[in-house]
Amino acid sequence: MSLDEFGKIKFDLVQVSRLALSEKSDDLRLFIAKLVRQYRSSDPDLSKELSDFLKANPPKSKTTTMRRTVFDQEVLGGDVPVDDDSQMALLKRYEDESHESKPILAPGIETTLNLLIKEREQKEALAERGLDPSKSAVFVGPPGVGKTMTARWIAAQLGVPLFVLDLSAVMSSLLGRSGANLRSALDFAKRSPCVLLLDEIDAIAKRRSDDSDIGELKRLVTVILQEVDEWPASGLLLAATNHPELIDPALWRRFDLIVEFGVPADEALSSAISRFFGPDIDQFSGWVKVLALLMKGESFSDIERLIRRLRRNFIVGGISTESLISDLLRSKCELLDRQGQIEFAVLLDTCTELSQRRVSELTGVSRDTIRKYRPSDRSPGTGKDT
Ligand SMILES: Nc1ncnc2c1ncn2[C@@H]1O[C@H](COP(=O)(O)OP(=O)(O)OP(=O)(O)O)[C@@H](O)[C@H]1O
Ligand SMILES: [Mg+2]
């Protein structure tokens, strides 16, 4: 056994002891269910033994389930389905997200989504002409660009709850139950108006390479294919993925809309920066253009994280905005090759209020070089570079 594995087992032992002694039996069951999954292929006997323990000791007080039941019956007239073995909820609920801020969207996406919402508001007009509103869409794009956030926002706009399918819970069960789990989750979501998000749907497709599970995963894809076809117009079925290339083409064809999300450009980038500074924007407003150049190509969530760090350093560290941003610029330049540094220096010189001297100091590119590479249509001596 490697040291790593030994460390992991020690950690698990501590967790199990802690949960058992604090009598957190629901949490303990979840933890054991995780171990069942973890050891399923490497140590099937251990996995089975643990799973038998779970089965032989069903939850005594179904506290979590009961708490959920009361709440769900009020809202939906039913309990969120759970995986039989682990008692993990197959769906996560997000409700009343009306306080959630609207995602910043590229103009094309905004138009598409506004129409999607409008179609639902005017479904009677569509019905008169024998049409349904669009009932399924798949969101494609890299991590951190607002796929999940947008699903939550759409649900809030429609005034219905959002359910997110927890694929790890669906697949947590013993082999053979995933299909039934998926079906019961989808059946549940079909019963009342809601938005259902199949988040990270590629997880199913990705796992296809794992031979032992291939039959199981095919079944899951088949279930989803059928459900997309039969989805009621009262609900909206969304899916999100970072890996469109892994998705079964048959599934792909069935979605009414394919929406491609991307990292923010131009206006979206500046809006994101301003938004993420929140109440501190006044102190940083002079730097938005510089930051936009600095963060071009980054996802919203990376930008948000970086800005949070700037704000913390500003508030607690008492570091000036000037030196915070200078540090960022310097570290960015260190990562670029010479040509990249020159291009970046020229951009800073042409697109921001920074003086050419300052740009040169920050980037390590001489003023002569900046002048040489600067677009020729820009006449020298605009007054800012002295
Ligand atoms: N378009 C956006 N507008 C404003 N904030 C955003 C946007 N996209 C992402 N964010 C911020 O980043 C966080 C993470 O975004 P989100 O979870 O929606 O990304 P995602 O596209 O679903 O990523 P993943 O593929 O990793 O699931 C959000 O909670 C929000 O704070
Ligand atoms: Mg997401």
Side-chain angles (χ1 to χ4, degrees):
M1 185 188 304
S2 73
L3 267 181
D4 258 11
E5 282 167 335
F6 186 58
K8 172 90 187 43
I9 290 173
K10 274 206 307 200
F11 175 80
D12 287 347
L13 190 60
V14 170
Q15 292 297 320
V16 168
S17 312
R18 184 177 62 80
L19 293 170
L21 292 173
S22 56
E23 294 183 19
K24 292 191 169 160
S25 62
D26 285 333
D27 292 349
L28 182 60
R29 295 182 64 78
L30 288 181
F31 192 77
I32 298 177
K34 200 187 100 191
L35 297 178
V36 170
R37 290 199 300 279
Q38 189 176 313
Y39 288 107
R40 194 179 285 151
S41 50
S42 61
D43 191 340
D45 290 343
L46 173 63
S47 171
K48 169 139 189 355
E49 197 173 349
L50 292 174
S51 154
D52 288 346
F53 274 145
L54 280 179
K55 279 197 191 139
N57 297 281
K60 281 195 192 72
S61 68
K62 287 206 162 188
T63 42
T64 21
T65 325
M66 283 199 353
R67 231 184 290 127
R68 241 186 263 129
T69 311
V70 174
F71 185 58
D72 293 330
Q73 274 169 351
E74 278 167 17
V75 183
L76 274 170
D79 195 6
V80 173
V82 294
D83 173 56
D84 275 350
D85 293 320
S86 62
Q87 294 293 310
M88 279 166 85
L90 300 172
L91 295 166
K92 288 197 190 110
R93 175 206 299 276
Y94 298 86
E95 200 141 12
D96 191 21
E97 308 266 318
S98 43
H99 59 280
E100 283 275 321
S101 44
K102 182 180 176 188
I104 298 164
L105 301 166
I109 300 185
E110 175 138 25
T111 312
T112 308
L113 295 181
N114 282 339
L115 267 175
L116 181 78
I117 293 168
K118 227 170 166 182
E119 284 176 14
R120 299 205 149 242
E121 288 164 354
Q122 300 186 13
K123 54 178 182 285
E124 287 78 17
L126 290 173
E128 277 172 20
R129 306 288 189 97
L131 286 171
D132 277 338
S134 317
K135 49 188 190 176
S136 59
V138 55
F139 295 169
V140 186
V145 293
K147 301 182 295 297
T148 305
M149 184 185 188
T150 302
R152 293 168 73 154
W153 177 75
I154 290 177
Q157 294 312 104
L158 297 173
V160 294
L162 170 74
F163 289 100
V164 180
L165 183 73
D166 187 339
L167 273 177
S168 64
V170 165
M171 301 206 262
S172 79
S173 188
L174 295 173
L175 227 62
R177 271 207 56 81
S178 308
N181 270 348
L182 181 61
R183 213 176 271 283
S184 70
L186 297 175
D187 277 347
F188 175 84
K190 274 201 290 199
R191 281 205 299 270
S192 72
C194 70
V195 174
L196 174 65
L197 173 63
L198 310 178
D199 213 357
E200 293 164 25
I201 195 177
D202 45 275
I204 296 180
K206 228 189 261 171
R207 292 255 315 261
R208 279 177 165 187
S209 48
D210 182 348
D211 286 340
S212 62
D213 277 358
I214 205 155
E216 189 72 0
L217 294 166
K218 273 197 183 136
R219 247 192 311 280
L220 291 187
V221 173
T222 313
V223 172
I224 295 185
L225 287 179
Q226 284 169 359
E227 295 291 346
V228 181
D229 277 343
E230 293 165 11
W231 207 251
S234 61
L236 177 61
L237 179 66
L238 301 177
T241 178
N242 300 323
H243 293 285
E245 73 284 359
L246 294 179
I247 310 272
D248 192 316
L251 180 55
W252 210 241
R253 281 200 306 273
R254 283 174 164 81
F255 285 99
D256 289 333
L257 278 174
I258 297 176
V259 186
E260 291 190 30
F261 287 70
V263 296
D266 310 326
E267 253 179 68
L269 185 54
S270 307
S271 316
I273 293 172
S274 302
R275 181 190 294 189
F276 296 148
F277 271 115
D280 296 322
I281 183 61
D282 287 349
Q283 278 84 357
F284 286 90
S285 56
W287 295 101
V288 172
K289 273 190 192 161
V290 175
L291 285 169
L293 289 178
L294 201 78
M295 299 199 235
K296 207 175 161 83
E298 307 272 347
S299 69
F300 285 97
S301 61
D302 285 345
I303 295 173
E304 189 173 27
R305 189 176 46 210
L306 185 83
I307 290 182
R308 283 217 190 103
R309 205 178 76 212
L310 281 177
R311 292 174 62 195
R312 282 192 205 105
N313 288 343
F314 177 69
I315 296 165
V316 178
I319 308 171
S320 73
T321 51
E322 162 98 23
S323 64
L324 283 171
I325 307 238
S326 305
D327 283 350
L328 278 183
L329 287 170
R330 284 202 194 91
S331 29
K332 161 126 184 162
C333 283
E334 278 167 16
L335 296 175
L336 295 171
D337 61 13
R338 181 73 188 148
Q339 191 56 34
Q341 287 172 351
I342 295 172
E343 282 164 18
F344 189 56
V346 169
L347 271 176
L348 283 173
D349 181 43
T350 46
C351 305
T352 74
E353 310 299 319
L354 286 179
S355 72
Q356 204 175 68
R357 184 177 316 231
R358 192 83 185 98
V359 171
S360 169
E361 278 165 20
L362 292 167
T363 57
V365 178
S366 75
R367 295 179 67 187
D368 277 347
T369 312
I370 296 177
R371 284 200 201 98
K372 190 168 136 203
Y373 285 88
R374 201 166 52 179
S376 52
D377 58 348
R378 194 171 163 280
S379 53
T382 50
K384 71 165 199 165
D385 48 345
T386 44

